[in-house]
Amino acid sequence: MTKWKIVVDSGCDLPQLEERSAELAFVRVPLTITVADQVFVDSEDLDIDQMMAAMAASKEAAQSACPSPQAYREAYEDAENILVLTITGGLSGSFNAARVAREMLLEDKPEVNIYLLDTLSAGGEIDLLVLEAARLIQEVGEFEGVVEGIRDYQSHTKLLFVLSKIDNLVKNGRVSKLLGHMVGLLNIRMVGEASDEGKLELLHRPRGHKKSLQAVQTELEKNGYQGGRMVLAHRKNDKFCQDLIAQIQKEYPQADIRVLPTSGLCSFYGEEGGILLGYEC
């Protein structure tokens, strides 16, 4: 029996949580991505390159599926205090599955402390929340204090996304074929944010690399970023990450910026070159 456990779905890009105390376990419950007749489980050993190649080759839209309540119920085992952080309910049923599993757990073990957080986000912002949760567990240690701390922290974080490709959105019918063609033809980027309701909202359509960097900088400044922690989760877009870091550190040399490859699920949403950037504000 461990004292603490953080449970996430694969909307979190962290395959493991290295910076944690001996009293804390970390469990990642994978979603699945279906491409034509292939099913990819977003576990630590997923070949994301293979999945992305299959998505690009398929004429059909790829689909994601949330974990089952039973998968979450198994993840909750053997812990006294549990924090569960899921991808936004606006994109997935993962939070609802986690909630059903919580009810199952408490029927069997009513003494367990368990708190569910719909992050209303994905990618880099979830990564930030998980890192902060681990810090709070180590420094606060008391369940209600940790819950209060992570809820307060969530109110001071945001997510920006930058999409270079929107092929799967076109295949899903979420955006028009014309817009998808224009994005590719004119080198347009889609820059947006996760809203307070957990929906992904488009803010800018800059053309080219430099203007997309400028759009991100504009949003960071507008929302009060002052050099705090940031997680840049990206799908094979090192150049954007490097250039954005250099741009930020000109003004905020102390900025604590972590770069991670996107999970399978976040690669599915962000597509090739996509960025899911979480930051403190």
Side-chain angles (χ1 to χ4, degrees):
M1 174 80 68
T2 187
K3 186 170 183 180
W4 286 92
K5 183 177 281 189
I6 295 175
V7 178
V8 299
D9 60 27
S10 53
C12 173
D13 303 292
L14 296 161
Q16 299 176 359
L17 189 57
E18 297 174 359
E19 301 164 9
R20 61 183 176 87
S21 71
E23 294 182 324
L24 171 61
F26 178 72
V27 180
R28 190 166 169 270
V29 185
L31 281 84
T32 57
I33 297 98
T34 301
V35 185
D37 58 350
Q38 299 181 74
V39 177
F40 298 91
V41 179
D42 194 11
S43 56
E44 191 174 348
D45 59 356
L46 171 64
D47 186 334
I48 298 176
D49 290 343
Q50 180 185 359
M51 183 193 81
M52 298 300 286
M55 281 178 57
S58 176
K59 294 182 180 179
E60 301 175 31
Q63 304 288 339
S64 65
C66 68
S68 68
Q70 185 59 36
Y72 272 113
R73 175 65 184 84
E74 292 171 5
Y76 298 163
E77 279 296 330
D78 299 323
E80 297 174 24
N81 303 287
I82 307 168
L83 289 180
V84 188
L85 296 89
T86 72
I87 191 171
T88 174
L91 290 176
S92 170
S94 188
F95 179 81
N96 283 334
R99 180 182 50 78
V100 171
R102 176 183 180 274
E103 294 170 1
M104 294 163 61
L105 171 71
L106 293 178
E107 284 182 6
D108 297 334
K109 300 178 179 180
E111 72 281 4
V112 173
N113 295 314
I114 179 169
Y115 179 74
L116 271 61
L117 181 70
D118 182 341
T119 68
L120 304 174
S121 194
E125 187 175 4
I126 297 182
D127 306 334
L128 269 183
L129 290 165
V130 169
L131 294 170
E132 177 66 7
R135 187 193 71 79
L136 288 166
I137 287 168
Q138 185 166 350
E139 295 188 9
V140 176
E142 182 265 326
F143 185 77
E144 293 301 328
V146 170
V147 169
E148 182 180 352
I150 198 63
R151 290 180 63 179
D152 178 69
Y153 185 73
Q154 184 186 22
S155 69
H156 298 286
T157 61
K158 289 186 73 68
L159 177 81
L160 281 173
F161 63 85
V162 183
L163 306 183
S164 302
K165 296 185 69 175
I166 55 172
D167 293 353
N168 201 54
L169 290 173
V170 172
K171 292 173 185 176
N172 270 301
R174 295 187 180 182
V175 300
S176 69
K177 290 182 180 179
L178 176 60
L179 179 56
H181 180 67
M182 295 293 284
V183 167
L185 184 66
L186 299 179
N187 199 22
I188 291 172
R189 307 289 194 270
M190 312 290 277
V191 178
E193 67 177 4
S195 71
D196 293 340
E197 295 75 35
K199 305 291 186 181
L200 299 185
E201 295 185 347
L202 181 63
L203 300 172
H204 306 276
R205 296 180 186 176
R207 186 173 178 181
H209 177 75
K210 289 184 179 180
K211 289 185 177 179
S212 64
L213 285 168
Q214 291 169 1
V216 169
Q217 188 71 30
T218 295
E219 290 303 315
L220 291 174
E221 292 173 357
K222 184 177 79 175
N223 290 303
Y225 178 74
Q226 295 183 341
R229 284 188 291 178
M230 175 182 292
V231 175
L232 275 166
H234 71 106
R235 170 59 191 170
K236 291 194 170 181
N237 200 340
D238 289 316
K239 179 170 175 53
F240 187 95
C241 295
Q242 292 167 2
D243 289 350
L244 182 62
I245 290 170
Q247 183 173 287
I248 289 170
Q249 289 184 336
K250 282 182 181 179
E251 186 170 359
Y252 303 108
Q254 82 285 5
D256 179 2
I257 303 174
R258 190 167 185 163
V259 179
L260 297 171
T262 45
S263 66
L265 183 69
C266 291
S267 298
F268 160 80
Y269 283 119
E271 301 194 45
E272 294 293 350
I275 304 286
L276 294 171
L277 181 164
Y279 65 100
E280 295 177 342
C281 55

